[in-house]
């Protein structure tokens, strides 16, 4: 039986997910917990190779269906080789993006059907869902400033899509959180990294107190 705790971080571009995933991992390690911090697309050698195929700005890029298949293939390898074994060892697994990114980007942004994306997820991973999903939400004006500071003109194939695409992604994330209030923790992404970190720790406190 699975022990451990599977946490995912989700949100649009520049909401501060990766910073917060790292801060949470360090805080839990300091508490003496076994933590595995990973990301998608990627996390294993095979999935990182698929990541390069997906995000490279050279060439023609992929249609939404091909993208969904590639993300699902990368996730399948990641779950089998890294996430399930770490959960079985009793680790807290913190994953920066997971299936809800596919549902928001390829579903909300790209127009694919949510039930079909979940079927693909069932094929790829036997339908492994996180115990909790931290959704960080921030207004596009705030994230645009952060992204300009972080990336300048450099952006990847998906991050570089237009504002309408990213607005659909944000709306899709909100819809997913509304539909599954038990799994999603919605976190206000405004404020300093420390303030956001404190919100996340408070929201996760009941889950963290349940595991050793
Ligand atoms: P990354 O550099 O990790 O972006 P970020 O810092 O915003 O997390 O690039 C991942 C990109 O891939 C990002 O634009 C979101 C997109 N993505 C999808 O479209 N579908 C998915 O299933 C995942 C995991 C990511």
């Amino acid at each position: 039986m699975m022990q451990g705790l599977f946490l995912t971080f989700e949100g649009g571009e520049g909401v501060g997910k990766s910073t917060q995933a790292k801060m949470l991992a360090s805080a839990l390690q300091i508490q003496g917990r076994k933590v595995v911090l990973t990301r998608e697309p990627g996390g294993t050698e095979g999935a990182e190779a698929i990541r390069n195929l997906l995000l490279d700005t050279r060439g023609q890029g992929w249609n939404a269906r091909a993208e969904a298949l590639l993300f699902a293939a990368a996730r399948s390898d990641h779950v089998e080789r890294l996430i399930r074994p770490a959960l079985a060892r009793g680790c807290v697994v913190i994953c920066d993006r997971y299936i809800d990114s596919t549902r928001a980007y390829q579903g909300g942004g790209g127009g694919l059907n949510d039930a079909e994306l979940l079927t693909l997820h069932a094929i790829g991973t036997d339908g492994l869902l996180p115990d909790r999903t931290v959704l960080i939400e921030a207004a596009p004006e705030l994230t645009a400033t952060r992204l300009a500071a972080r990336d300048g003109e450099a952006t990847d194939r998906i991050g570089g899509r237009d504002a309408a695409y990213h607005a659909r992604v944000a709306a899709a994330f909100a819809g997913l959180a509304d539909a599954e209030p038990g799994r999603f923790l919605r976190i206000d992404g405004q404020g300093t990294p420390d303030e956001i970190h404190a919100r996340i720790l408070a929201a996760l406190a009941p889950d963290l107190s349940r595991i050793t």
Side-chain angles (χ1 to χ4, degrees):
M1 215 183 75
M2 244 183 218
Q3 310 128 16
L5 183 67
F6 184 21
L7 305 175
T8 58
F9 276 74
E10 297 283 7
E13 315 287 315
V15 294
K17 275 176 301 77
S18 308
T19 304
Q20 292 302 325
K22 282 186 203 133
M23 287 175 83
L24 180 67
S26 312
L28 298 186
Q29 270 157 354
I30 289 167
Q31 292 173 5
R33 296 174 193 271
K34 290 185 286 180
V35 178
V36 171
L37 173 63
T38 185
R39 68 158 182 192
E40 290 205 349
T44 57
E45 199 183 338
E48 291 288 334
I50 296 176
R51 176 188 178 88
N52 292 333
L53 292 176
L54 277 160
L55 300 183
D56 197 334
T57 46
R58 289 169 299 184
Q60 286 185 294
W62 307 96
N63 66 53
R65 284 175 186 276
E67 246 173 34
L69 289 163
L70 286 167
F71 278 114
R75 186 162 300 128
S76 176
D77 192 65
H78 190 204
V79 166
E80 183 188 303
R81 292 212 154 95
L82 191 138
I83 296 177
R84 281 197 195 273
L87 291 171
R89 293 196 307 275
C91 296
V92 180
V93 175
I94 301 174
C95 190
D96 183 352
R97 295 197 183 281
Y98 189 66
I99 178 64
D100 299 301
S101 278
T102 300
R103 300 171 76 191
Y105 282 79
Q106 284 65 52
L112 299 188
N113 177 281
D114 191 54
E116 287 179 2
L117 294 175
L118 289 175
T119 300
L120 208 50
H121 185 57
I123 295 168
T125 72
D126 225 356
L128 179 69
L129 285 179
D131 296 300
R132 288 284 174 263
T133 296
V134 176
L135 174 63
I136 307 184
E137 295 176 297
E141 305 79 56
L142 176 66
T143 56
T145 318
R146 285 186 188 159
L147 285 171
R150 184 186 80 180
D151 299 342
E153 292 297 300
T155 182
D156 62 55
R157 161 97 45 206
I158 298 175
R161 289 182 183 154
D162 64 19
Y165 181 92
H166 290 291
R168 291 199 300 278
V169 169
F173 273 129
L176 293 173
D178 284 343
E180 272 186 89
R183 172 161 71 88
F184 277 88
L185 301 170
R186 294 177 87 155
I187 300 292
D188 178 0
Q190 286 182 87
T192 65
D194 282 334
E195 285 164 352
I196 302 167
H197 176 60
R199 280 174 211 146
I200 292 171
L201 274 184
L204 285 172
D207 296 302
L208 293 170
S209 69
R210 263 201 298 278
I211 56 163
T212 47

